[in-house]
Amino acid sequence: MQISRVVSDLVTTKRVFALAAKSLRVVEDHKGNLDVVVDPVGAKPGDYVITIGYSAARAAAGNPNITTDLTIGGIIDQWDEERWRS
Amino acid sequence: MQISRVVSDLVTTKRVFALAAKSLRVVEDHKGNLDVVVDPVGAKPGDYVITIGYSAARAAAGNPNITTDLTIGGIIDQWDEERWRS
Amino acid sequence: MQISRVVSDLVTTKRVFALAAKSLRVVEDHKGNLDVVVDPVGAKPGDYVITIGYSAARAAAGNPNITTDLTIGGIIDQWDEERWRS
Amino acid sequence: MQISRVVSDLVTTKRVFALAAKSLRVVEDHKGNLDVVVDPVGAKPGDYVITIGYSAARAAAGNPNITTDLTIGGIIDQWDEERWRS
Amino acid sequence: MQISRVVSDLVTTKRVFALAAKSLRVVEDHKGNLDVVVDPVGAKPGDYVITIGYSAARAAAGNPNITTDLTIGGIIDQWDEERWRS
C-alpha cells in the first residue's frame, strides 16, 4: 500500500457503468505523480491516506463489482510531510 | 487509476481471439509514455481519460473474457494540462 | 518479493472495515521509498523482511478477506545492508 | 497493454511444467528493456506487437493453466519507430 | 516475465506458514536490483532464469496456496550478459 495525499475531486460524466456511483479523487504520491482513486471513507483534500492497489482495490471499495484498481484504505492520523517528500 | 490522453486508434489485424472485436486506442501518460487500451466508452483523440489496470480492466471492458490489462474507465470533463505535464 | 526494512508502526483510526484489526507498518526499500504493509509475523523496527505483493498479499495475511496489496512474508535472519543500499 | 518489438526466441530446456509446450520470445520496450513473453500468434523478430500482462496474460495464452505473466496479444500492422523511441 | 540472475539463497527462519517449506533465492535484474523468488526448478547461483510474477507466480510454484508473487519459471540455456547489462 502507498501513502498519498488527496488533491481534489474528479468529475467524469461519461464513465463505465461499474464506476457509476462512486466518489473519485485525485491523489498525489511523494514525487507529485497523480493517481485516481475510489474513496469509500470520505477523505478531504490535504488528507494523507493509504491507497490499496491491484485486485484488493475492488474488495476495499466495498463491492467487488466496482472496477477500480486503486482505493483509499484509510486516513493516516499523523504524517510527517518532510520525511515523505525527501 | 491513471490519467492519460488519447493519441490514436491502433490497428492489429492479427490478434488473439479474445481481443477480436474490441476498439483499441493508443494513450499517453503525463511523461509521454505510450500504452494500448480497450475503449468501451468511445473516446476521441485528445480526450483526457482515466484508465483502469490489472484484473479490473477485464470487468471494465464489459466482459471478463476480454483479455485486456488496461481499459478506459471514463472521460474526464475538464483537465488542466499544465498541472499534468509538470 | 521485495526486501524491505521496517521503519515504524502506522496509525489510521479511520479505515475500511476489511483492514480493521490488522497491524500496519511502514517499510522502506533500498532506495528509501516507503510502503505500508500488513504484518502477520510481528516484525520490529529495523528488521529486514520480505514483502509479498499483489493478490498473494491477501492470502499471506492469513485471511483472503483482508484487503491488503502488500504483506510481510518473513523476517530475514541476516542481511548485508551495504549490498542492499548500493 | 504495452507496445514491444520481438527480438529473438528464448530457449529454456529446464522449465516448470506449465510452460512446457509454449513458444517463448524475448521482446524489448521503447527503452530497450527486455521481457520474456508467451507467443500464441506466431510473431517474428522485428515485428511490433502488443503485450498483455498480469492475470489477463494467462487467458490470452489460450489456456488459463499456462503460468505466464506476459503474452503477445496481436501484431501491429504499422508502427512509427521514430515516435516510439523518442 | 523477467530475465534475472540467481545471486544466493535466502534464510528466513520466521515466516508465514504458506511459504514454510519453499526454497527462496535472491535474484538480481539487469540493473542489479534484488528480488526474492520461490525456486521450484533448483537453480544455482550464477544461473540466468526467467521469473514469473503476479498471480501466475503461485501456480508456477506448483501449488496455488503458496503465497509468492515471484517464481522461477525456467533456466535459460544460454544468455549474453553483455546484451543484458547494457
Side-chain angles (χ1 to χ4, degrees), chain A residues 11 13-14 16 35-36 58 69, chain B residues 1-2 41 53 55 73 75 77:
Chain A
V11 181
T13 304
K14 183 165 191 176
V16 295
D35 284 305
V36 176
R58 294 201 296 282
D69 66 11
Chain B
M1 293 166 282
Q2 302 292 314
V41 300
S55 53
I75 300 173
D77 288 17

Side-chain angles (χ1 to χ4, degrees), chain C residues 27-39:
Chain C
V27 300
E28 62 174 356
D29 69 11
H30 69 108
K31 291 174 180 164
N33 293 316
L34 302 180
D35 284 305
V36 176
V37 302
V38 166
D39 177 9

Side-chain angles (χ1 to χ4, degrees), chain E residues 3-64:
Chain E
I3 294 165
S4 296
R5 200 169 65 96
V6 178
V7 174
S8 66
D9 290 344
L10 184 73
V11 181
T12 60
T13 305
K14 183 167 191 176
R15 56 170 100 169
V16 294
F17 181 76
L19 283 176
K22 307 309 295 182
S23 295
L24 299 181
R25 311 250 187 267
V26 178
V27 299
E28 62 174 356
D29 69 13
H30 68 108
K31 291 174 179 163
N33 293 317
L34 304 179
D35 284 305
V36 176
V37 301
V38 166
D39 177 9
V41 299
K44 289 186 293 295
D47 283 347
Y48 286 91
V49 296
I50 57 173
T51 58
I52 302 171
Y54 313 106
S55 53
R58 295 200 297 281
N63 179 338

Side-chain angles (χ1 to χ4, degrees), chain C residues 18-84:
Chain C
L19 283 176
K22 307 309 296 182
S23 296
L24 299 181
R25 312 250 187 267
V26 178
V27 300
E28 62 174 356
D29 69 11
H30 69 108
K31 291 174 180 164
N33 293 316
L34 302 180
D35 284 305
V36 176
V37 302
V38 166
D39 177 9
V41 299
K44 287 186 295 295
D47 283 346
Y48 287 92
V49 296
I50 58 174
T51 58
I52 302 171
Y54 312 106
S55 54
R58 295 201 296 282
N63 180 338
N65 293 323
I66 297 167
T67 58
T68 178
D69 65 12
L70 202 63
T71 299
I72 293 178
I75 300 173
I76 300 172
D77 288 17
Q78 265 193 317
W79 188 248
D80 177 352
E81 181 165 352
E82 292 298 310
R83 168 80 212 258
W84 187 60

Side-chain angles (χ1 to χ4, degrees), chain B residues 7 10-16 19 24 26 28 32-38 54-55 58 65-70, chain D residues 1-3 30-31 40-42 50-56 59-60 72-79 83-84:
Chain B
V7 174
L10 184 73
V11 180
T12 62
T13 305
K14 184 166 191 177
R15 54 170 102 168
V16 295
L19 283 176
L24 299 181
V26 178
E28 63 174 355
N33 294 317
L34 303 179
D35 284 305
V36 176
V37 301
V38 166
Y54 313 107
S55 53
R58 294 200 297 281
N65 292 325
I66 297 166
T67 58
T68 178
D69 65 12
L70 201 65
Chain D
M1 293 166 282
Q2 301 293 315
I3 295 164
H30 68 108
K31 291 174 178 163
V41 299
I50 57 173
T51 58
I52 302 172
Y54 313 107
S55 54
I72 293 178
I75 301 174
I76 300 172
D77 288 16
Q78 265 193 317
W79 187 249
R83 167 80 211 259
W84 187 58

Side-chain angles (χ1 to χ4, degrees), chain D:
Chain D
M1 293 166 282
Q2 301 293 315
I3 295 164
S4 297
R5 198 169 66 96
V6 177
V7 175
S8 65
D9 291 345
L10 184 73
V11 181
T12 61
T13 305
K14 184 167 191 176
R15 55 170 101 168
V16 294
F17 179 77
L19 283 176
K22 307 309 295 181
S23 295
L24 299 181
R25 311 251 187 265
V26 178
V27 299
E28 63 175 356
D29 69 12
H30 68 108
K31 291 174 178 163
N33 293 317
L34 302 179
D35 283 305
V36 176
V37 301
V38 166
D39 177 9
V41 299
K44 288 187 292 296
D47 282 348
Y48 287 91
V49 296
I50 57 173
T51 58
I52 302 172
Y54 313 107
S55 54
R58 293 201 298 280
N63 179 338
N65 292 325
I66 297 166
T67 58
T68 178
D69 65 12
L70 201 65
T71 299
I72 293 178
I75 301 174
I76 300 172
D77 288 16
Q78 265 193 317
W79 187 249
D80 177 353
E81 181 165 352
E82 291 299 308
R83 167 80 211 259
W84 187 58
R85 291 284 184 193
S86 65

